[in-house]
Amino acid sequence: MRRRGVRGSWARKTAVPSKRGKSRKVPVPFPWDSRSDSNRKRIEENYRHLRAEVVQSGLARNRPTPALVQGWHARSLDGIRLAEPWVAGHYRGEGPSGSQLRDALVHVGGRLGEPPAHVRQRVRGMFEELDRRIDGLDARVSVGEGLNTLYPDVLQLCAWAHGEWIRIHPFVDHNGSTARLLALMLGLRYGVPLNLPGKPRPPTPSFGLALSYNVAAENQMMGDDTVMVSYLDRLARASAAQHRGQGV
């Protein structure tokens, strides 16, 4: 993902000792130093803890909200020095006047994410539609409909939510990671385990017709959720087969 102003654009500076014992200012790249091994390891650890909590939340049939996903994003950056403090848990288009977050543009696979000024409205509309879809599935569950008939619609829900989130790209980064947590939580709400990639996600295969997460997500950026549905179906079936093999 490319972000406007990543190269040659700096914000908060941190003092470090110079050779002469005096402090010198080292700029922090926007939104944070993604090349830092310590940052990468800390973020991966943060997501491992978040994933465990999301699993429990899904099993408890909790309903995702915008505030919940914003909290995931903020906590994923615990311990990370940021160029701007409001990067954590805030959408593009937010932040004080003159901040880089307020005007941040993102390009994903050559496609532009939602303009910053429209992000909050698009997120609100997405969750209104998500609530409507969850209500529909919950009504079917309440009258005794089982997973055998709900299954394809649960996959559609998870794929749609993941796709909408990455198409909007609300955050300056970590949109795919939070989208995967969202899909994981929704699947477990209805008894469909989805062993989606954590952080970092695996690289796209360099050859062959592999059905990978990255390929499915790239198709979603073009408005096509069907490949992601197939990918999620494969994950769910693999998980079910593993449980059968373990006698679960």
Side-chain angles (χ1 to χ4, degrees), residues 1-11 28-32 83-84 100-101 103-107 172:
M1 181 186 73
R2 294 184 299 158
R3 296 177 293 275
R4 189 178 75 175
V6 169
R7 293 185 179 180
S9 181
W10 309 92
V28 177
F30 182 82
W32 58 81
E84 298 178 350
Q100 294 187 75
L101 184 65
D103 299 318
L105 300 175
V106 292
H107 295 81
V172 73

Side-chain angles (χ1 to χ4, degrees), residues 119-206:
V119 166
R120 177 165 285 279
Q121 181 180 357
R122 278 290 309 277
V123 170
R124 185 184 305 113
M126 173 192 160
F127 272 86
E128 287 173 356
E129 174 63 15
L130 179 61
D131 281 339
R132 187 187 69 79
R133 295 186 182 210
I134 290 175
D135 287 344
L137 284 175
D138 284 358
R140 293 164 62 184
V141 171
S142 68
V143 296
E145 190 169 343
L147 185 57
N148 286 341
T149 55
L150 287 171
Y151 178 75
D153 294 322
V154 172
L155 292 185
Q156 288 282 354
L157 174 71
C158 295
W160 173 84
H162 181 283
E164 281 295 286
W165 193 255
I166 64 170
R167 284 187 284 267
I168 299 170
H169 245 68
F171 302 124
V172 73
D173 208 341
H174 289 190
N175 294 285
S177 300
T178 47
R180 293 192 293 276
L181 292 178
L182 183 59
L184 172 65
M185 181 176 177
L186 289 169
L188 289 173
R189 178 182 175 89
Y190 297 102
V192 179
L194 300 170
N195 189 25
L196 285 153
K199 191 81 172 175
R201 67 185 185 189
T204 301
S206 58

